[in-house]
Amino acid sequence: MDGSIAADYVGLDYAPPYLAPTTNGAQLLQGVNYASGAGGILDESGAQWLSHPDHFASPYIPLNILDLLSLSAQIQRLTNTTIELEEILGAAQKKSFLAEPLFLISLGTNDYVYNYTLANSSMKAEYPDA
């Protein structure tokens, strides 16, 4: 594995992270990255990392569950961005601006492996034969 992620193959510059203090105003017009390490489609995805023995040994693992942005949390941030864009551009220009956006959704193993294999997973309870 060479460390590449799906976005590396699209050929565009990296969009700034939504949570960066400098991602506001005109910067939003260049794109926004809502990604979150250890997050997933399910709100509970990534929670297993909080009790992982190496949790505090890695700077890449969030400190608490509030730092894990599930897909629903990322979509809420997209909604916030569209409100900010309307404040910057106005309603008509915002609609035109958002007419042809590029959305890249890349999923890792958290939803597929951990949520089905953990004994206390809600997915395990809902789909016991999966």
Side-chain angles (χ1 to χ4, degrees):
M1 183 168 213
D2 66 2
S4 296
I5 59 172
D8 293 329
Y9 300 100
V10 177
L12 300 173
D13 292 334
Y14 289 105
Y18 175 83
L19 295 176
T22 56
T23 306
N24 55 40
Q27 180 68 46
L28 297 174
L29 301 175
Q30 304 304 311
V32 182
N33 181 347
Y34 303 96
S36 174
I41 294 174
L42 304 171
D43 289 339
E44 67 189 58
S45 291
Q48 70 277 2
W49 291 112
L50 300 176
S51 59
H52 192 276
D54 294 330
H55 175 75
F56 294 104
S58 173
Y60 304 108
I61 299 175
L63 296 177
N64 64 58
I65 192 68
L66 298 177
D67 293 333
L68 302 174
L69 300 180
S70 66
L71 183 59
S72 63
Q74 293 174 43
I75 290 171
Q76 180 57 53
R77 283 157 177 79
L78 170 62
T79 301
N80 295 345
T81 300
T82 63
I83 293 167
E84 292 178 63
L85 287 172
E86 187 164 332
E87 292 170 0
I88 295 167
L89 301 171
Q93 196 172 357
K94 176 195 90 168
K95 184 176 180 179
S96 173
F97 181 79
L98 292 176
E100 297 183 32
L102 172 65
F103 290 91
L104 176 63
I105 299 175
S106 176
L107 304 173
T109 60
N110 289 343
D111 290 306
Y112 299 108
V113 176
Y114 295 109
N115 287 323
Y116 287 106
T117 60
L118 295 175
N120 62 349
S121 167
S122 65
M123 295 302 290
K124 182 88 166 178
E126 190 170 346
Y127 303 101
D129 297 326

